[in-house]
Amino acid sequence: MIELRSAHSRRLYDDWKARRRGRVFPARADFDPLELRYIIGNLSLLDVLREPVRFRYRVHSTNMTQWLGFDLTGKEIDASPNPERGAAIKDHFAAVVERGEPIVRLHEWLGGNHRRLKHEALVLPLSRDGATIDMIMSALSAI
Protein backbone atom coordinates (compact mmCIF):
# COMPACT_ATOMS: atom_id res chain seq x y z
CA MET A 1 0.00 0.00 0.00
CA ILE A 2 1.30 3.42 -0.96
CA GLU A 3 1.44 5.91 1.94
CA LEU A 4 0.27 9.41 1.05
CA ARG A 5 0.22 12.47 3.30
CA SER A 6 -1.76 14.85 1.12
CA ALA A 7 -5.54 14.57 0.72
CA HIS A 8 -5.17 15.65 -2.93
CA SER A 9 -2.60 12.93 -3.59
CA ARG A 10 -4.85 10.31 -1.95
CA ARG A 11 -7.80 11.45 -4.07
CA LEU A 12 -5.76 11.33 -7.29
CA TYR A 13 -4.41 7.88 -6.39
CA ASP A 14 -7.97 6.65 -5.75
CA ASP A 15 -9.07 8.17 -9.09
CA TRP A 16 -6.16 6.39 -10.83
CA LYS A 17 -7.12 3.03 -9.28
CA ALA A 18 -10.80 3.45 -10.20
CA ARG A 19 -9.95 4.24 -13.82
CA ARG A 20 -7.94 1.03 -14.27
CA ARG A 21 -11.17 -0.95 -14.73
CA GLY A 22 -9.43 -4.34 -14.68
CA ARG A 23 -6.34 -3.17 -16.57
CA VAL A 24 -2.87 -2.89 -15.12
CA PHE A 25 -2.78 0.86 -15.90
CA PRO A 26 -5.38 3.41 -16.95
CA ALA A 27 -4.87 5.59 -20.03
CA ARG A 28 -4.53 9.37 -20.16
CA ALA A 29 -7.88 9.37 -22.01
CA ASP A 30 -9.55 7.91 -18.90
CA PHE A 31 -9.04 11.24 -17.08
CA ASP A 32 -11.25 14.25 -17.73
CA PRO A 33 -9.33 17.43 -16.82
CA LEU A 34 -12.55 18.94 -15.42
CA GLU A 35 -12.70 16.11 -12.88
CA LEU A 36 -9.12 16.91 -11.81
CA ARG A 37 -9.80 20.55 -10.91
CA TYR A 38 -8.75 19.84 -7.33
CA ILE A 39 -5.13 19.22 -8.45
CA ILE A 40 -4.87 20.35 -12.10
CA GLY A 41 -2.39 23.20 -11.45
CA ASN A 42 -0.02 20.72 -9.81
CA LEU A 43 -0.15 18.04 -12.51
CA SER A 44 2.46 17.30 -15.14
CA LEU A 45 2.06 14.81 -17.99
CA LEU A 46 5.11 13.22 -19.57
CA ASP A 47 5.63 10.94 -22.54
CA VAL A 48 7.81 7.91 -21.83
CA LEU A 49 10.33 7.58 -24.67
CA ARG A 50 12.29 4.38 -25.20
CA GLU A 51 15.76 3.23 -26.17
CA PRO A 52 17.00 4.67 -23.92
CA VAL A 53 14.19 5.44 -21.47
CA ARG A 54 13.71 9.18 -21.12
CA PHE A 55 10.88 11.59 -20.41
CA ARG A 56 9.40 14.55 -22.30
CA TYR A 57 6.92 16.92 -20.70
CA ARG A 58 3.62 17.24 -22.55
CA VAL A 59 2.50 19.60 -19.83
CA HIS A 60 4.70 20.99 -17.06
CA SER A 61 2.65 21.89 -13.99
CA THR A 62 1.62 25.55 -14.11
CA ASN A 63 2.21 26.00 -10.38
CA MET A 64 5.65 24.38 -10.56
CA THR A 65 6.52 26.47 -13.62
CA GLN A 66 5.71 29.65 -11.66
CA TRP A 67 7.53 28.48 -8.55
CA LEU A 68 10.67 27.37 -10.42
CA GLY A 69 10.72 30.22 -12.90
CA PHE A 70 10.97 28.01 -16.03
CA ASP A 71 8.66 25.85 -18.14
CA LEU A 72 9.68 22.40 -19.41
CA THR A 73 6.56 21.83 -21.56
CA GLY A 74 7.70 20.14 -24.80
CA LYS A 75 11.18 19.47 -23.38
CA GLU A 76 12.89 16.43 -21.95
CA ILE A 77 13.70 16.33 -18.25
CA ASP A 78 17.41 16.70 -19.08
CA ALA A 79 16.63 20.31 -20.17
CA SER A 80 16.15 21.28 -16.52
CA PRO A 81 18.46 24.17 -15.64
CA ASN A 82 19.20 22.43 -12.32
CA PRO A 83 20.98 19.16 -13.23
CA GLU A 84 20.85 17.78 -9.65
CA ARG A 85 17.10 18.32 -9.36
CA GLY A 86 16.54 17.01 -12.89
CA ALA A 87 18.49 13.84 -12.12
CA ALA A 88 16.45 13.19 -8.94
CA ILE A 89 13.18 13.69 -10.81
CA LYS A 90 14.33 11.50 -13.70
CA ASP A 91 15.28 8.78 -11.20
CA HIS A 92 11.78 8.95 -9.69
CA PHE A 93 10.13 8.68 -13.12
CA ALA A 94 12.43 5.82 -14.19
CA ALA A 95 11.62 3.89 -11.00
CA VAL A 96 7.90 4.09 -11.83
CA VAL A 97 8.53 2.69 -15.33
CA GLU A 98 10.92 -0.02 -14.09
CA ARG A 99 8.70 -1.18 -11.23
CA GLY A 100 5.42 -0.68 -13.07
CA GLU A 101 3.67 0.93 -10.14
CA PRO A 102 2.93 4.34 -8.61
CA ILE A 103 5.68 5.72 -6.41
CA VAL A 104 5.56 8.65 -4.00
CA ARG A 105 8.62 10.52 -2.78
CA LEU A 106 9.09 13.52 -0.53
CA HIS A 107 11.17 16.40 -1.88
CA GLU A 108 12.39 19.74 -0.63
CA TRP A 109 13.61 22.18 -3.28
CA LEU A 110 14.71 25.78 -3.40
CA GLY A 111 12.64 27.54 -6.05
CA GLY A 112 13.46 30.31 -8.50
CA ASN A 113 11.96 32.70 -5.96
CA HIS A 114 14.50 31.47 -3.34
CA ARG A 115 11.74 29.94 -1.20
CA ARG A 116 11.84 26.33 -0.03
CA LEU A 117 9.06 24.00 -1.07
CA LYS A 118 8.44 20.74 0.73
CA HIS A 119 6.15 18.52 -1.28
CA GLU A 120 4.95 15.02 -1.90
CA ALA A 121 5.48 13.90 -5.50
CA LEU A 122 3.12 11.13 -6.63
CA VAL A 123 3.99 9.63 -10.02
CA LEU A 124 1.41 7.40 -11.71
CA PRO A 125 1.96 5.18 -14.76
CA LEU A 126 -0.43 5.46 -17.72
CA SER A 127 -0.86 3.25 -20.77
CA ARG A 128 -2.91 3.42 -23.97
CA ASP A 129 -3.00 -0.38 -24.23
CA GLY A 130 -3.46 -0.96 -20.49
CA ALA A 131 -0.13 -2.80 -20.12
CA THR A 132 2.83 -0.83 -21.56
CA ILE A 133 3.66 2.41 -19.76
CA ASP A 134 3.81 5.15 -22.41
CA MET A 135 2.99 8.15 -20.25
CA ILE A 136 3.26 9.19 -16.61
CA MET A 137 1.30 11.67 -14.53
CA SER A 138 3.17 13.54 -11.81
CA ALA A 139 1.29 15.36 -9.05
CA LEU A 140 2.88 17.64 -6.49
CA SER A 141 1.23 18.45 -3.19
CA ALA A 142 2.73 20.76 -0.58
CA ILE A 143 3.26 19.20 2.84
Side-chain angles (χ1 to χ4, degrees), residues 27-109:
R28 157 56 193 98
D30 294 321
F31 293 87
D32 180 346
L34 293 176
E35 294 174 352
L36 298 174
R37 284 187 301 244
Y38 64 93
I39 199 165
I40 197 81
N42 292 333
L43 281 181
S44 293
L45 289 173
L46 298 97
D47 290 312
V48 176
L49 309 171
R50 305 287 177 166
E51 299 177 30
V53 172
R54 55 199 195 287
F55 307 93
R56 181 180 54 232
Y57 283 90
R58 276 194 182 196
V59 177
H60 189 214
S61 155
T62 54
N63 291 339
M64 198 56 141
T65 294
Q66 288 180 333
W67 185 77
L68 291 171
F70 58 86
D71 185 6
L72 290 174
T73 299
K75 299 175 183 159
E76 290 189 29
I77 188 70
D78 292 334
S80 172
N82 183 321
E84 180 183 321
R85 183 180 308 148
I89 294 167
K90 186 176 182 178
D91 177 65
H92 188 175
F93 295 164
V96 169
V97 172
E98 288 168 18
R99 290 170 44 184
E101 63 187 15
I103 298 175
V104 64
R105 291 188 179 167
L106 302 178
H107 296 284
E108 185 173 342
W109 305 116

